[in-house]
Amino acid sequence: MTEPGERRRHTTSTATRERGVRDARDAARHAADALSELIRHHLEGVSAVCRSEDGGWIVNVDVLEVARIPDTTSLLATYEVELDAAGDLIQYRRIARYRRGAQDQ
């Protein structure tokens, strides 16, 4: 039991499994957390979040794979992360790799 004024601690994954992923922001957070545990690269951000046909989530996470000087020559990658409705990782894959300074085509 927690003392008055003390915050109760719990992990996000435990809370998520009980109620599932609530929204796109929640899905993005869970995808980024799961991916960072597996690939050990610095996450730059989330570039897309959408619902999958089975009620889960598909999240695109941008990652710094190779840091270079100047920064505009660093190599980044976009990973597609698929979560189930509970927020658990189903699969991930790298879908693009590019220089930071490169323009979209």
Side-chain angles (χ1 to χ4, degrees):
M1 181 141 212
T2 58
E3 297 293 322
E6 185 181 23
R7 296 180 81 178
R8 187 174 185 180
R9 296 175 189 229
H10 68 279
T11 62
T12 304
S13 59
T14 302
T16 300
R17 285 189 185 109
E18 292 173 1
R19 67 175 183 277
V21 176
R22 295 176 304 198
D23 55 19
R25 181 181 302 146
D26 211 16
R29 188 175 302 117
H30 287 278
D33 289 346
L35 186 63
S36 69
E37 289 178 14
L38 295 171
I39 64 171
R40 303 287 185 199
H41 290 299
H42 174 74
L43 303 182
E44 291 283 310
V46 172
S47 55
V49 179
C50 64
R51 282 278 201 182
S52 62
E53 292 179 7
D54 63 357
W57 296 89
I58 297 173
V59 181
N60 288 355
V61 180
D62 298 321
V63 173
L64 175 63
E65 288 199 333
V66 180
R68 292 186 177 158
I69 297 175
D71 191 48
T72 55
T73 62
S74 294
L75 290 178
L76 293 115
T78 300
Y79 285 80
E80 182 179 86
V81 180
E82 187 176 344
L83 305 174
D84 64 14
D88 294 322
L89 179 71
I90 295 174
Q91 65 179 355
Y92 77 97
R93 65 188 178 111
R94 184 171 65 190
I95 58 173
R97 194 170 193 203
Y98 54 94
R99 279 185 314 129
R100 184 185 299 276
Q103 295 179 344
D104 288 347
Q105 296 191 30

